[in-house]
Amino acid sequence: MKKITVIKLALDLVMAILFSLLFNKSVFSGLNFHELIGLIIGFVVLMHIILNIKWIRKVSVSIFTKK
């Protein structure tokens, strides 16, 4: 498996775990943890988009081209 694929899968796993933790504000240390994890997941989503920009462009072009 390519190194970039492993990184993408790890990012997806981290996003899933953090997202599930955000459902409950009382997890771990309350609202501060909730806000911190919200910021971290925002950064991870941005990294996910950057790593998959080629796929996003390809799909966007295929959607908006006239056939």
Side-chain angles (χ1 to χ4, degrees), residues 3-30:
K3 185 177 180 180
I4 191 74
T5 304
V6 172
I7 292 171
K8 288 179 182 181
L9 288 173
L11 262 175
D12 290 344
L13 182 63
V14 168
M15 281 193 307
I17 291 169
L18 292 177
F19 186 70
S20 65
L21 290 175
L22 283 174
F23 281 110
N24 190 355
K25 285 189 284 187
S26 63
V27 173
F28 297 109
S29 63

Side-chain angles (χ1 to χ4, degrees), residues 17-65:
I17 291 169
L18 292 177
F19 186 70
S20 65
L21 290 175
L22 283 174
F23 281 110
N24 190 355
K25 285 189 284 187
S26 63
V27 173
F28 297 109
S29 63
L31 189 59
N32 290 334
F33 175 79
H34 181 79
E35 291 173 350
L36 178 65
I37 294 301
L39 291 173
I40 292 171
I41 199 168
F43 176 74
V44 173
V45 167
L46 183 62
M47 292 303 299
H48 177 78
I49 291 170
I50 290 169
L51 288 173
N52 292 299
I53 196 71
K54 289 180 185 178
W55 180 83
I56 293 169
R57 285 183 184 148
K58 182 179 169 185
V59 170
S60 298
V61 167
S62 70
I63 289 173
F64 295 112
T65 57

